[in-house]
Amino acid sequence: MHTLYDSETYSVTHMLANLESEVQHPSGASKTEHGAQVLPMLLRHGFEIVDKRSGKEVYLDGSWAELFQQHIVAWQVNTPTQEEVEDTLERYAELAQNPVLVH
């Protein structure tokens, strides 16, 4: 997990896929320490956007995560103002339905 953005209004965290430490074979499969063959898993990443005002969060994965990643790359090329970042996050936060829960 990497916190990418944190303000009074929004927090954005990049959730990275877990990479296995096992040796990969050309077939794409790997072997465990006991020699059993393990099929490769689809590695996915996502972004959690928390709207601190409403206390709700949305998790973006798949095509939504890819679209959001494009925004991040564009921000790296052309540094946006905080207002521009928050306007973009507000559009995504409209999807938020899940209340933020602390365990």
Side-chain angles (χ1 to χ4, degrees):
M1 287 189 331
H2 296 290
T3 300
L4 302 178
Y5 184 78
D6 192 22
S7 70
E8 291 181 16
T9 313
Y10 295 102
S11 175
V12 178
T13 304
H14 186 196
M15 307 292 194
L16 301 171
N18 292 330
L19 297 176
E20 293 186 27
S21 59
E22 299 166 347
V23 177
Q24 291 289 322
H25 295 281
S27 68
S30 63
K31 294 206 178 226
T32 66
E33 63 184 85
H34 302 292
Q37 192 170 18
V38 178
L39 297 176
M41 292 177 35
L42 176 63
L43 297 178
R44 297 182 76 163
H45 69 100
F47 298 92
E48 177 186 55
I49 301 174
V50 175
D51 183 345
K52 294 178 181 179
R53 298 168 301 177
S54 69
K56 293 185 178 180
E57 62 92 19
V58 62
Y59 184 77
L60 306 174
D61 70 347
S63 59
W64 282 104
E66 291 173 17
L67 182 61
F68 189 71
Q69 181 71 43
Q70 291 174 4
H71 286 287
I72 292 171
V73 170
W75 290 340
Q76 291 172 341
V77 173
N78 301 311
T79 307
T81 64
Q82 183 174 355
E83 184 177 328
E84 291 170 327
V85 171
E86 299 230 346
D87 285 346
T88 301
L89 295 177
E90 183 176 16
R91 290 195 302 268
Y92 283 100
E94 290 174 356
L95 301 170
Q97 300 295 315
N98 302 322
V100 175
L101 301 175
V102 179
H103 300 281

